[in-house]
Amino acid sequence: MNDTRNLEPDLEEDTPEREAATRRSTWVSVAVNVLLTALQVAVGVIAASQALIADGLHSLSDLVADFVVLLAVHHSRKAPDDDHHYGHQRYENAASLVLGGLLLAVGIGMVVSAVHKLQAPDAIPTVHQTALWVALGALVAKEGLFRYMLAVAERVRSSLLVANAWHARSDAASSLVVAVGIGGNLLGYPLLDPIAALIVGLMVGRMGWGFTWNALHDLTDRAANEEQIAAIAADIAATPGVLGMHALKTRKTGDMILADVHLEIDGSLSVAEGHEIAEETRRKVMARHPVLDLLVHVDPVSPPRPQALPGAVEA
């Protein structure tokens, strides 16, 4: 499963670039998957290859996923409004949930169909050689699409685009399995074609479950990862005027983080001075980390008394 923990978004001014890059790469994916879906399903039916048809359905699920991504990008970049005070970033989490559910459903369907075929092995036909060439061509196209989309995702730091890129990689892996299954069928092992379809279904279902599970965690206020929390805490503690901190809490919203913290500040300072320390902490954290907002609570404390030098006499 892919790891998106290090994909920390750039500052807010880079958002238009992220949106444009995501749209462009997603439309490239749409074009590739339209061609592959039509070719794989048509040749799969004509060549009597269940594995190639299954791979074509996988490509069809990519098309739906691509449009889910486009919809999420459009809505998640909207500014905060009266109904969404923190913005619309969680549209990305919701889109990842839909994408995962789609993959899970497609995978289950593939597995059920393949099992039915395996229960009647004598009825499995020998596929036509054309199916093998289509499967190999699809493998090359999907691997190229994965590398292109992942490069864009890492450049613009979008976890949603990473998820869609790895979706393309799952297609490349499935096309490899399909090619092996079709090749085995052509060599006189007809069971390998539905077995390949079964493996593809399991791969798709497993990845769908992973995306669904992660999205559910994010939608139920999962905290940022330990590295991000430690980095945020270090910057807070290093802010001039901050004597200590506690109760640092975070929760994910899309690719961003919402956080709140209690700062310990010299109780003898004025309200204005304490407020300025809190605001400087907030500005620093939001500038250096993918933090959408930091809510700061000030706790007045007595600063530690300086230790007397050895041999000094107290007044």
Side-chain angles (χ1 to χ4, degrees), residues 49-179:
S49 172
Q50 184 188 8
L52 192 59
I53 294 173
D55 208 23
L57 292 176
H58 194 182
S59 298
L60 179 61
S61 73
D62 283 355
L63 277 175
V64 179
D66 290 334
F67 284 110
V68 169
V69 171
L70 291 171
L71 181 66
V73 168
H74 173 72
H75 286 286
S76 66
R77 302 310 176 203
K78 290 182 179 178
D81 55 31
D82 291 339
D83 294 324
H84 302 83
H85 296 174
Y86 290 99
H88 300 74
Q89 282 81 6
R90 283 194 174 175
Y91 271 97
E92 290 198 10
N93 302 126
S96 293
L97 179 64
V98 172
L99 194 157
L102 171 68
L103 284 172
L104 187 58
V106 170
I108 291 173
M110 290 178 182
V111 169
V112 171
S113 178
V115 168
H116 282 308
K117 281 281 188 179
L118 290 172
Q119 289 175 341
D122 294 337
I124 300 174
T126 300
V127 303
H128 192 275
Q129 189 175 6
T130 306
L132 179 60
W133 293 112
V134 171
L136 292 174
L139 170 62
V140 173
K142 290 174 180 178
E143 180 65 19
L145 182 63
F146 160 73
R147 294 181 181 276
Y148 163 71
M149 294 183 71
L150 188 62
V152 174
E154 291 176 343
R155 177 167 58 85
V156 302
R157 299 176 182 267
S158 169
S159 64
L160 178 62
L161 193 53
V162 167
N164 212 28
W166 278 92
H167 188 183
R169 164 54 73 85
S170 75
D171 286 353
S174 71
S175 291
L176 176 60
V177 172
V178 167

Side-chain angles (χ1 to χ4, degrees), residues 172-197:
S174 71
S175 291
L176 176 60
V177 172
V178 167
V180 172
I182 293 174
N185 182 287
L186 290 170
L187 291 174
Y189 302 95
L191 278 175
L192 290 183
D193 186 66
I195 287 175

Side-chain angles (χ1 to χ4, degrees), residues 20-39:
T22 301
R23 287 180 180 277
R24 183 168 55 251
S25 63
T26 304
W27 279 114
V28 170
S29 178
V30 167
V32 171
N33 284 312
V34 165
L35 178 61
L36 288 179
T37 298
L39 187 61

Side-chain angles (χ1 to χ4, degrees), residues 275-287:
H275 174 75
E276 181 55 36
I277 293 172
E279 281 298 298
E280 176 58 27
T281 303
R282 182 173 179 270
R283 285 193 294 267
K284 178 192 289 187
V285 169
M286 292 177 63

